Amino acid sequence: MSELPPEETTAAPAPPPDPFEDWQRLDPKAVIASTALVLAPMFPIVAIMAVSDENSGRTLATVGVMLGVVVLTLVGSWLNWYFTRFRVTAERFELREGNISRSFRSIPRERVRSVDLTAPVVHRLLGISVVKIGTGQKAGNDELKLDAISTARAEELRRLLLRPRAGTTSEGVPPPVTGSGEETGTEELARIRPVWYLYSTLTASLLLFTWAAVGSALSTLSDVFRTLWAADTATDWLSDTAASVWAHVPLWAVVVAAVVTVLLGGLLGALAFSLEMWWGFRLTREGDATLRVRRGLLTTRAVSLERRRLRGVELAEPMLLRLAGGSRLTAVATGLEHGETSGRSDNKVLLPPAPRGVAGRIGALVLDRSGTLEDGTPLRVHPRVALRRRLSRVLLPAMLLAAALAVAAHQSGAVPWWSWLVPLGAALPASVLAWDAYRNLGHGHRDEYLVTRYGTGVKRTVLLQREGIIGWRISQSPLQRLTGLLTVSATTAAGNGYYSVRDAGTEQGLSFAESCVPGLLSPFLEKNSDFTSESGDSPDGTSHERTTKRTDHP
């Protein structure tokens, strides 16, 4: 009787080794990139000195100093590359760096909030990227920077660090770490349209930045002319040209031409900046875990955000953009600090300036809501006394200033008699802005989100997840107490840290806070006997009781 063959066993394939488990070096081309960034601005300076009448000895000394700087930069970059190591273990990301002063940083992978990839022009030519790992801490240096590793490995590292820390998918299988390229399950939510570049030009910040850049460029050209001993010639030519134009063209035409030049130049400059910032913009959703924004013409940027960190969105409408029917969309998320504190105002952008309907629809997609952000119960209006408060802010100072100027003009001839008309004339547009600020006030609930709207120069509409509210801050200025208004601020660990419902009625604001997060504010409130029986329905359909504030604020 023959023996049966041994039963074949099927062993599960071993998972691929983690490519970042051992200590890793940066890419050696990072040394070339750092040196090139220092070397590039030196070429124009040396060229100008070579063609000018500068003393040859001084030119050689300058070149020698520059070569010394380049050598020091090269050595410093090589030392930084040699002593920098990083690795990713099952639980932590670890980084060793420094040559004279060594440092070791180790953070739990659970605390990684975002992974950004940036590639300036030199880095792109060399095929490397800078990786910035954000931890969301607001104290100290919260960012770990790897400058630089190859773009393909940077993509692998990004996917590894943003992989859900449970370590498994819903089927219990660890998600794979693939190579470069698009990962399966990637859904495109938005892509730049050519007309959106025009919306980007309608932001005052870009217009101002354009003319600031033009002024800097003219200053540099002036230095170049001065170095080439051509300043006098250029000044004489400009003076003669201006004099001839002034003599043959009416004054009103010169003024109109100057205004058109300023506006057209600003728009063209803003369009150029817009192209550089938003070229190739794509917003994608990778599985259910990550939102990713990629953009940039010369310097490419890729910002990744874990969806579980997302607490809401903000629609911002600067005045010029609002008049054109546009809006831009940003994220309210933990780990993305406010731009003023982090120095990076663009790491939370979800959509560039675009038609408001598109921004509302994309915002709803990001929050997994149907329709647009505007769908749902209309926002509550604020008491009319809030309008009177805003009007008094602009009219009272204008009237006081006009009265003071009128008295000064009557008592002294140094002040023109018409000077008191200036503040009164400025009061009219200021009153329009005050009325617009009141009209934009609103608050309410939409699904599981708190909604607050405010602002006139920049109208903002914020949707904040009610589960993300960790407390309330109630504030009343002396004038608010006289007029029966208060400001209710929802504090949260995301975004700016708090989002306010401004100048709501006392009863209105407190009952809204209590109905928004039931039980959070109630221990600090006492029920008003006059209103206890007036139970009502909040805009989201939940019942609540009208309450009044105690003397001790929460």
Side-chain angles (χ1 to χ4, degrees):
M1 188 175 179
S2 62
E3 295 183 356
L4 293 175
E7 186 176 356
E8 295 185 357
T9 58
T10 58
D18 194 332
F20 297 98
E21 189 174 8
D22 299 326
W23 287 104
Q24 307 285 315
R25 285 184 183 275
L26 301 178
D27 195 296
K29 287 180 285 189
V31 178
I32 303 175
S34 300
T35 307
L37 290 176
V38 176
L39 190 61
M42 296 181 179
F43 283 108
I45 299 175
V46 174
I48 291 171
M49 296 184 69
V51 300
S52 66
D53 296 333
E54 287 284 344
N55 183 279
S56 58
R58 184 178 177 183
T59 302
L60 290 176
T62 303
V63 172
V65 171
M66 291 180 176
L67 288 177
V69 172
V70 170
V71 171
L72 290 177
T73 304
L74 185 62
V75 173
S77 301
W78 182 85
L79 290 174
N80 180 66
W81 168 82
Y82 183 80
F83 287 103
T84 300
R85 302 281 195 282
F86 71 95
R87 70 175 181 179
V88 182
T89 66
E91 299 295 334
R92 309 185 73 84
F93 175 84
E94 298 176 344
L95 174 65
R96 291 178 177 174
E97 57 185 347
N99 39 57
I100 299 177
S101 176
R102 302 299 303 277
S103 69
F104 174 74
R105 302 180 66 180
S106 176
I107 60 170
R109 290 171 59 180
E110 175 65 26
R111 281 175 46 194
V112 175
R113 300 292 190 267
S114 61
V115 180
D116 305 342
L117 273 57
T118 307
V121 176
V122 176
H123 287 64
R124 291 179 65 186
L125 293 175
L126 296 174
I128 56 179
S129 296
V130 180
V131 180
K132 298 177 181 177
I133 302 169
T135 60
Q137 287 184 336
K138 294 188 176 181
N141 185 11
D142 72 316
E143 192 175 75
L144 289 84
K145 181 178 178 181
L146 301 177
D147 186 10
I149 59 178
S150 70
T151 301
R153 296 185 70 231
E155 286 286 346
E156 290 184 32
L157 180 62
R158 179 191 69 83
R159 279 192 286 269
L160 177 64
L161 291 177
L162 293 180
R163 190 166 59 184
R165 281 305 302 128
T168 59
T169 61
S170 57
E171 292 79 15
V173 179
V177 178
T178 61
S180 60
E182 292 290 345
E183 201 173 6
T184 57
T186 298
E187 176 188 6
E188 182 178 280
L189 301 181
R191 177 188 290 269
I192 192 74
R193 299 287 185 269
V195 71
W196 293 4
Y197 295 115
L198 299 179
Y199 281 96
S200 296
T201 63
L202 301 176
T203 54
S205 57
L206 273 185
L207 296 177
L208 294 175
F209 188 73
T210 297
W211 281 109
V214 171
S216 177
L218 290 177
S219 176
T220 303
L221 286 176
S222 176
D223 293 339
V224 171
F225 286 143
R226 189 174 295 108
T227 303
L228 295 175
W229 299 98
D232 294 339
T233 303
T235 304
D236 294 342
W237 179 81
L238 289 174
S239 300
D240 295 341
T241 304
S244 63
V245 171
W246 184 266
H248 297 88
V249 178
L251 177 60
W252 65 268
V254 174
V255 173
V256 171
V259 172
V260 171
T261 300
V262 169
L263 292 178
L264 189 60
L267 289 175
L268 291 177
L271 180 61
F273 283 118
S274 176
L275 286 170
E276 202 289 321
M277 286 193 301
W278 303 115
W279 183 266
F281 170 87
R282 286 185 69 205
L283 171 64
T284 56
R285 178 163 50 195
E286 299 178 352
D288 290 330
T290 306
L291 291 171
R292 193 177 193 204
V293 172
R294 276 174 286 190
R295 61 188 176 87
L297 179 60
L298 299 178
T299 299
T300 59
R301 306 170 183 86
V303 180
S304 300
L305 171 67
E306 281 187 287
R307 293 194 63 206
R308 62 193 179 110
R309 312 291 183 188
L310 192 67
R311 296 292 179 268
V313 296
E314 176 182 310
L315 277 174
E317 301 169 79
M319 185 167 289
L320 288 177
L321 184 61
R322 183 169 15 132
L323 293 175
S327 176
R328 65 170 182 259
L329 185 71
T330 56
V332 177
T334 59
L336 294 180
E337 293 185 41
H338 192 265
E340 295 178 357
T341 57
S342 67
R344 299 170 56 198
S345 59
D346 58 349
N347 61 348
K348 57 182 180 179
V349 173
L350 292 175
L351 194 72
R356 196 176 193 284
V358 175
R361 181 171 56 81
I362 299 302
L365 282 175
V366 169
L367 298 179
D368 280 336
R369 299 176 76 240
S370 59
T372 71
L373 295 179
E374 300 295 332
D375 293 341
T377 307
L379 301 183
R380 290 182 178 182
V381 298
H382 289 216
R384 298 287 291 184
V385 68
L387 173 60
R388 293 198 294 271
R389 184 163 184 258
R390 279 158 176 74
L391 288 174
S392 64
R393 284 178 178 174
V394 297
L395 293 180
L396 189 59
M399 294 176 65
L400 291 175
L401 181 59
L405 289 175
V407 171
H410 184 267
Q411 297 295 333
S412 173
V415 179
W417 66 267
W418 47 263
S419 58
W420 61 277
L421 294 174
V422 175
L424 290 184
L428 179 60
S431 301
V432 174
L433 293 177
W435 174 80
D436 184 65
Y438 169 73
R439 191 185 64 169
N440 292 336
L441 287 177
H443 65 276
H445 304 156
R446 283 175 185 162
D447 301 332
E448 71 271 29
Y449 293 93
L450 172 153
V451 185
T452 178
R453 190 180 63 198
Y454 59 90
T456 178
V458 179
K459 176 184 172 184
R460 302 182 187 277
T461 304
V462 179
L463 277 78
L464 177 65
Q465 202 173 46
R466 291 157 66 178
E467 291 182 353
I469 298 175
I470 57 178
W472 293 99
R473 186 172 68 184
I474 313 297
S475 61
Q476 270 188 315
S477 67
L479 291 179
Q480 282 181 313
R481 280 197 290 272
L482 290 175
T483 54
L485 299 176
L486 54 74
T487 296
V488 182
S489 301
T491 58
T492 177
N496 298 342
Y498 66 89
Y499 292 92
S500 301
V501 176
R502 305 181 181 189
D503 285 341
T506 302
E507 298 287 337
Q508 182 187 43
L510 294 176
S511 61
F512 169 73
E514 175 58 17
S515 62
C516 189
V517 186
L520 185 59
L521 191 62
S522 56
F524 304 94
L525 300 175
E526 63 181 9
K527 297 176 181 177
N528 188 336
S529 58
D530 296 335
F531 296 99
T532 300
S533 59
E534 297 182 12
S535 300
D537 294 333
S538 61
D540 62 347
T542 58
S543 298
H544 65 276
E545 291 182 330
R546 293 175 181 269
T547 56
T548 186
K549 181 170 64 72
R550 287 177 57 181
T551 53
D552 51 339
H553 290 169

